[in-house]
Amino acid sequence: MGATLSILIGLLIIAVGAFCQSSSYVPINKVRSWSWESYWLVQGIFAWLVFPFLGALLAVPQGESLFAMYAAYPRESLLTILFGVLWGIGGLTFGLSMRYLGVALGQSIALGLCSGLGAILGPVFTGKTGDLTTAIWVGVIVTLIGIAIIGIAGGMKTAALPEEEKKKAVKDFNFGKGLFVAVLSGVMSACFSIGLSFGADLHWEATKPIFATLPATFLVTIGGFLTNAAYCLFQNSRNKTFSDYRQGSLWAGNIIFCALAGILWYSQFFGLSLGKGFLEGNSAVLVTFSWCILMALNVTFSNVWGIVLKEWKGVSKKTIAVLVAGLLVLIFSTFLPQLMA
């Protein structure tokens, strides 16, 4: 297989994963009669435990043990989980940013910060700053410009729509509160990339390259689950919503939609691992930049969903033009580092 074809396949796989992630909040809207903390915890069991564990098993050669490998690298494993715990704060507030800002604007702000910081801080924390070439820095900057343009479109939307229309599009819309949690989410979510960097050696020589990052991904998501589970159970107690779990008639349908949301969410990191496997050996620049590519595509597809869900309904043509311009810049940013290499 030629290098160019491998690169295109790798980027396509990452794009499919990003589309799945951006679609993961659609099934959540089908969950009935559960509080936010209840469905967030249940979908998290699937998104951060079940499917990442199954994915990690794909990296284990016959006769080897996943947990024995973790035990053989205690420092790397513990640091990967630790940054997963920190990422969990980002994942938690990420859900809240969707609640207060909507899919489009919430993901744009949170993933924008996550994109730039994640691409840069991973190599910085692990001492691999040599990987941060000029092409990477330019790619990150262009990605942030695209996300900033989308943020401008969101600001134009907020300024133009009356409060009643904002509430129709996003039930719990609150720009001030949403902006705070989205910024916090973006900064802390970058810890996922740092965790993956610390867990880069957590695989076997016999592991296929397309599955190489999945054991580290599982450790990061374990850490994230601990943070989210603690918060959700606290909210269950404070809001007296433990009764949600006793509604037996709702379990079948709600579990299905939570599981669907979980596998769609996990698909982004499963796709990232597979995509990097095709990029490895064909484009070192894109391997380093792959985190930024994933986040840029997440933002792109989340805004497409925002349009589908009518979150941009009623805004001016000028606002839509600004939004589309931002999306085009993001799409261009995914190819730019390779063009400069």
Side-chain angles (χ1 to χ4, degrees), residues 49-297:
L49 293 181
V50 175
F51 293 118
F53 173 66
L54 295 176
L57 291 180
L58 294 174
V60 183
Q62 187 174 3
E64 300 289 354
S65 167
L66 180 64
F67 294 99
M69 187 265 292
Y70 292 148
Y73 294 90
R75 178 180 178 274
E76 291 83 354
S77 297
L78 287 175
L79 284 172
T80 303
I81 293 176
L82 172 62
F83 279 100
V85 170
L86 297 176
W87 162 76
I89 298 174
L92 179 65
T93 48
F94 187 68
L96 291 174
S97 68
M98 305 300 103
R99 180 178 178 180
Y100 296 128
L101 294 178
V103 173
L105 186 55
Q107 288 204 45
S108 295
I109 296 173
L111 292 179
L113 287 170
C114 176
S115 174
L117 293 177
I120 294 169
L121 293 182
V124 169
F125 272 72
T126 55
K128 298 179 180 178
T129 53
D131 293 341
L132 297 175
T133 63
T134 300
I136 298 296
W137 283 103
V138 172
V140 169
I141 291 171
V142 173
T143 299
L144 294 178
I145 289 173
I147 293 170
I149 293 172
I150 292 174
I152 292 172
M156 293 168 66
K157 166 192 170 184
T158 301
L161 291 180
E163 196 66 26
E164 185 176 329
E165 289 297 319
K166 295 173 190 173
K167 294 291 185 182
K168 285 182 180 178
V170 183
K171 182 180 178 182
D172 297 320
F173 185 85
N174 185 313
F175 185 74
K177 186 183 292 186
L179 181 62
F180 172 78
V181 296
V183 170
L184 177 62
S185 172
V187 173
M188 301 307 290
S189 292
C191 290
F192 199 115
S193 178
I194 301 172
L196 290 181
S197 295
F198 276 109
D201 295 328
L202 296 177
H203 59 82
W204 294 263
E205 288 187 11
T207 298
K208 293 181 180 180
I210 58 174
F211 300 138
T213 65
L214 295 180
T217 299
F218 178 44
L219 290 186
V220 177
T221 57
I222 285 176
F225 176 78
L226 294 175
T227 304
N228 281 265
Y231 180 80
C232 289
L233 292 173
F234 168 75
Q235 290 295 319
N236 280 142
S237 177
R238 189 178 75 168
N239 299 331
K240 304 185 187 317
T241 53
F242 279 113
S243 58
D244 289 345
Y245 307 119
R246 295 195 292 270
Q247 299 179 50
S249 61
L250 298 176
W251 266 97
N254 286 357
I255 283 290
I256 289 173
F257 288 120
C258 285
L260 180 57
I263 194 170
L264 287 173
W265 182 91
Y266 174 64
S267 293
Q268 64 179 314
F269 295 113
F270 189 76
L272 179 64
S273 182
L274 267 62
K276 288 176 69 174
F278 280 93
L279 298 177
E280 198 77 47
N282 294 302
S283 176
V285 169
L286 288 183
V287 170
T288 303
F289 192 62
S290 58
W291 175 266
C292 210
I293 292 173
L294 175 63
M295 294 301 114
L297 291 173

Side-chain angles (χ1 to χ4, degrees), residues 153 156-157 160-161 311-320:
M156 293 168 66
K157 166 192 170 184
L161 291 180
E311 292 181 2
W312 294 90
K313 184 179 179 180
V315 301
S316 67
K317 292 182 179 179
K318 181 178 180 180
T319 300
I320 293 297

